[in-house]
């Protein structure tokens, strides 16, 4: 639709007619009252309500996982049923310890063998030392006797004297070689003993690890709470597609070390996790009362208070909804044993009481180039005006920029007349209880 040309007089007249609008755009859509449903801007006294949905969750939980033990999969022999109430120390999960018991037996045998090798190495070293000391005494005696013979060289012939000198040299070389051999024997014995002691050390560590692994086969509840069994991701062989439903773990199933098998959740710390849009975010604050309806318990209502309101947006990049969301946590006023994490809930968050607030139906707000606009009735047509939405409560928008008594369109008059919005405005932008 092309913009209407105006003269200075017409322009002044339009400004006068826009006394109830802050900035009416000079675009008029001609229509009759029968074609466009309308509503009148009102001043109302109301309490803001933010309506949204969420789910129960717990802030206190502990994951029960298969122990990180190398050597293949583990077989479940004991598993608490899903929904069972457990206390600290109760057995939740137990695996077959046969392999670890076999390892323990092997390690204990290795330890005994290493200890026997140490005893033998020490005994062999003692025997070798005794033999070396005896041989050294004989070598020293041979050197001493050769020295005595050399001392008689003045009394014997030159040939015999030369023989005595050669005998002394040979005795000394034998003693020196024997001393070197003794040092070598000592080093060799010490090395053999060190190897045996290292084998004993490794065997002892392996045995202690096997003993600890056997203890880890039996997992108890770290907190009081409710048992929730997880889906068996190992049952698909690591292959998983969106939409697949995993069977829960059961007794007899195989699990990889480190796999998450179950969870113990503390029902005394249940809270509601929800999200609100940016329009509702500004009207929320901690300690506001909340009315809670739980789908699984129809006809019953619960109460709570806003615990935290996220200061940053939460938005997944693959989400088609580009409107920004803020996380809200609501604490329940009382704990009910029938409640479970994951239950869907509907929230009515009670905000401030407003007096003489300017209010219009939420469907009268439209998006235009990223701005919120309404269509104000002017004579035989409607003119677009940007407004600021302060809040949306139970289908009604609280805003500034309009005066009470102003008549506004409930549908996009341009789209209604042409069947195609020429100004880019979209009909109902979704300013309902969960609008953004």
């Amino acid at each position: 639709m092309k913009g209407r040309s105006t003269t200075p007089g017409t322009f002044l007249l339009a400004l006068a007619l826009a006394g109830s609008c802050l900035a009416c755009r000079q675009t008029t859509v001609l229509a009759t009252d029968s074609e466009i449903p309308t509503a009148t801007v009102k001043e109302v006294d109301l309490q803001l309500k933010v309506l949204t949905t969420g789910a129960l969750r717990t802030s206190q939980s502990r994951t029960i996982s298969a122990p990180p033990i190398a050597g293949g999969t583990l077989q479940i022999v004991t598993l608490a049923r899903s929904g069972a109430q457990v206390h600290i120390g109760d057995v939740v999960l137990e695996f077959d310890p046969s392999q670890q018991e076999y390892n323990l037996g092997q390690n204990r045998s290795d330890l005994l063998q290493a200890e026997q090798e140490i005893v033998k190495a020490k005994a062999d070293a003692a025997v070798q030392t005794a033999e070396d000391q005896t041989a050294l005494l004989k070598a020293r005696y041979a050197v001493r006797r050769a020295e005595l013979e050399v001392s008689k060289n003045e009394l014997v012939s030159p040939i015999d004297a030369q023989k005595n000198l050669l005998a002394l040299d040979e005795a000394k070389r034998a003693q020196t070689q024997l001393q070197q051999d003794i040092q070598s024997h000592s080093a060799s014995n010490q090395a053999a003993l060190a190897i045996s002691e290292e084998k004993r050390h490794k065997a002892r560590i392996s045995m202690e690890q096997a003993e600890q692994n056997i203890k880890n086969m039996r997992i108890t509840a770290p907190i009081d709470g409710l048992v929730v069994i997880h889906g068996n991701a190992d049952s698909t062989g690591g292959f998983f597609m969106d939409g697949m439903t995993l069977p829960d773990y059961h007794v007899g199933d195989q699990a990889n070390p480190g796999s998450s098998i179950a969870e113990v959740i503390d029902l005394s710390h249940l809270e509601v996790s929800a999200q609100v849009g940016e329009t509702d975010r500004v009207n929320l604050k901690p300690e506001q009362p909340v009315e809670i309806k739980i789908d699984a318990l129809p006809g019953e209502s619960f109460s709570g208070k806003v615990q935290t309101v996220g200061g940053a947006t939460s938005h997944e990049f693959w989400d088609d909804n580009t409107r920004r969301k803020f996380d809200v946590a609501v604490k329940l006023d009382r704990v009910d044993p029938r409640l479970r994490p994951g239950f869907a809930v509907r929230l009515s968050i009670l905000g401030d009481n407003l007096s003489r607030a300017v209010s219009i139906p939420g469907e009268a707000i439209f998006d235009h180039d990223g701005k919120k606009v309404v269509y104000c009735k002017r004579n035989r047509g409607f003119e677009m005006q940007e407004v600021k939405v302060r809040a949306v409560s139970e289908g009604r928008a609280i805003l500034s920029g309009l005066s009470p008594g102003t008549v506004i369109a409930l549908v996009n008059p341009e789209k209604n007349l042409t069947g195609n919005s020429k100004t880019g405005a979209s009909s109902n932008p979704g300013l309902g209880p969960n609008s953004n």
Side-chain angles (χ1 to χ4, degrees):
M1 182 176 63
K2 298 180 180 179
R4 182 180 60 182
S5 62
T6 60
T7 63
T10 305
F11 181 74
L12 293 176
L13 178 59
L15 287 179
L17 292 175
S20 61
C21 297
L22 291 181
C24 286
R25 175 179 171 181
Q26 297 305 307
T27 299
T28 302
V29 180
L30 297 179
T32 63
D33 292 342
S34 61
E35 293 175 324
I36 305 297
T38 60
T40 302
V41 178
K42 298 179 180 180
E43 279 188 341
V44 295
D45 296 334
L46 56 76
Q47 182 179 37
L48 290 179
K49 286 187 179 181
V50 176
L51 305 180
T52 187
T53 59
L56 287 175
R57 69 179 184 186
T58 179
S59 59
Q60 294 287 338
S61 66
R62 297 292 186 274
T63 300
I64 304 297
S65 301
I69 297 174
T73 58
L74 305 170
Q75 185 175 19
I76 299 174
V77 295
T78 301
L79 181 62
R81 64 177 178 83
S82 187
Q85 185 72 35
V86 294
H87 301 284
I88 295 177
D90 291 347
V91 176
V92 178
L93 176 64
E94 190 171 3
F95 292 95
D96 182 9
S98 300
Q99 181 61 45
Q100 299 305 318
E101 290 173 347
Y102 172 79
N103 293 342
L104 177 61
Q106 286 290 102
N107 296 328
R108 184 178 286 115
S109 175
D110 292 342
L111 177 62
L112 292 175
Q113 182 179 351
E115 289 178 341
Q116 291 174 357
E117 290 178 358
I118 290 174
V119 172
K120 183 177 183 301
K122 288 181 177 180
D124 291 345
V127 172
Q128 184 67 56
T129 299
E131 292 176 351
D132 288 342
Q133 291 300 321
T134 300
L136 184 60
L137 287 175
K138 290 180 178 180
R140 288 173 178 172
Y141 174 76
V143 170
R144 180 58 181 162
R145 186 175 60 181
E147 288 176 345
L148 290 175
E149 291 299 325
V150 169
S151 65
K152 301 176 182 178
N153 280 352
E154 294 180 355
L155 303 175
V156 299
S157 65
I159 294 176
D160 290 337
Q162 185 64 33
K163 288 181 179 180
N164 291 337
L165 290 174
L166 291 175
L168 177 60
D169 290 340
E170 181 63 24
K172 288 183 176 180
R173 281 196 299 269
Q175 181 182 2
T176 301
Q177 182 62 48
L178 182 58
Q179 289 174 335
Q180 292 176 352
D181 291 343
I182 291 174
Q183 291 178 351
S184 177
H185 294 161
S186 177
S188 178
N189 291 335
Q190 289 178 359
L193 181 60
I195 291 174
S196 297
E197 289 178 341
E198 180 63 22
K199 288 175 63 177
R200 181 179 65 178
H201 178 67
K202 289 182 177 180
R204 180 178 288 116
I205 290 178
S206 297
M207 190 178 70
E208 292 174 351
Q209 183 64 57
E211 291 174 341
Q212 185 61 47
N213 288 342
I214 293 174
K215 292 180 181 178
N216 291 341
M217 295 291 104
R218 191 170 184 266
I219 305 171
T220 59
I223 59 173
D224 294 344
L226 191 78
V227 176
V228 177
I229 305 300
H230 291 174
N232 185 356
D234 299 321
S235 64
T236 63
F239 176 77
F240 183 79
M241 295 179 60
D242 291 340
M244 288 180 61
T245 301
L246 295 174
D248 290 346
Y249 279 101
H250 295 88
V251 171
D253 286 351
Q254 301 283 335
N256 290 320
S259 296
S260 177
I261 308 299
E263 188 175 10
V264 179
I265 57 177
D266 186 352
L267 296 181
S268 64
H269 289 80
L270 281 180
E271 64 181 20
V272 179
S273 174
Q275 289 186 326
V276 297
E278 56 185 323
T279 303
D280 294 323
R281 167 65 180 83
V282 297
N283 298 297
L284 296 184
K285 55 188 176 183
E287 298 302 319
Q288 285 178 326
V290 183
E291 298 174 353
I292 304 170
K293 300 287 186 181
I294 299 178
D295 293 349
L297 301 175
E300 298 192 40
S301 61
F302 297 82
S303 62
K305 289 183 175 60
V306 175
Q307 190 171 17
T308 59
V309 182
T313 58
S314 174
H315 175 66
E316 304 291 349
F317 70 89
W318 56 80
D319 191 355
D320 292 335
N321 182 7
T322 58
R323 295 169 179 171
R324 293 182 293 176
K325 299 284 188 179
F326 295 83
D327 294 324
V328 177
V330 175
K331 184 178 180 180
L332 296 170
D333 288 337
R334 64 182 178 90
V335 177
D336 191 304
R338 296 172 297 173
L339 300 181
R340 296 290 184 270
F343 278 7
V345 301
R346 288 170 286 122
L347 303 179
S348 178
I349 305 174
L350 306 181
D352 297 334
N353 288 302
L354 301 181
S355 177
R356 301 184 64 183
V358 176
S359 171
I360 64 172
E363 61 265 29
I365 306 291
F366 301 91
D367 284 329
H368 178 76
D369 292 338
K371 299 177 181 179
K372 303 299 183 185
V373 299
V374 297
Y375 288 92
C376 305
K377 192 174 189 307
R378 298 287 181 264
N379 295 327
R380 296 179 56 205
F382 294 87
E383 292 180 352
M384 184 194 307
Q385 179 193 336
E386 181 182 352
V387 292
K388 181 179 180 181
V389 179
R390 295 172 53 196
V392 177
S393 181
E394 298 184 287
R396 295 195 64 84
I398 311 302
L399 45 79
S400 58
L402 289 179
S403 298
T406 302
V407 177
I408 56 173
L410 292 177
V411 297
N412 187 338
E414 297 178 270
K415 186 173 182 180
N416 184 270
L417 288 179
T418 64
N420 182 23
S421 178
K422 297 180 180 180
T423 62
S426 63
S427 60
N428 192 350
L431 279 177
N434 299 316
S435 67
N436 299 290

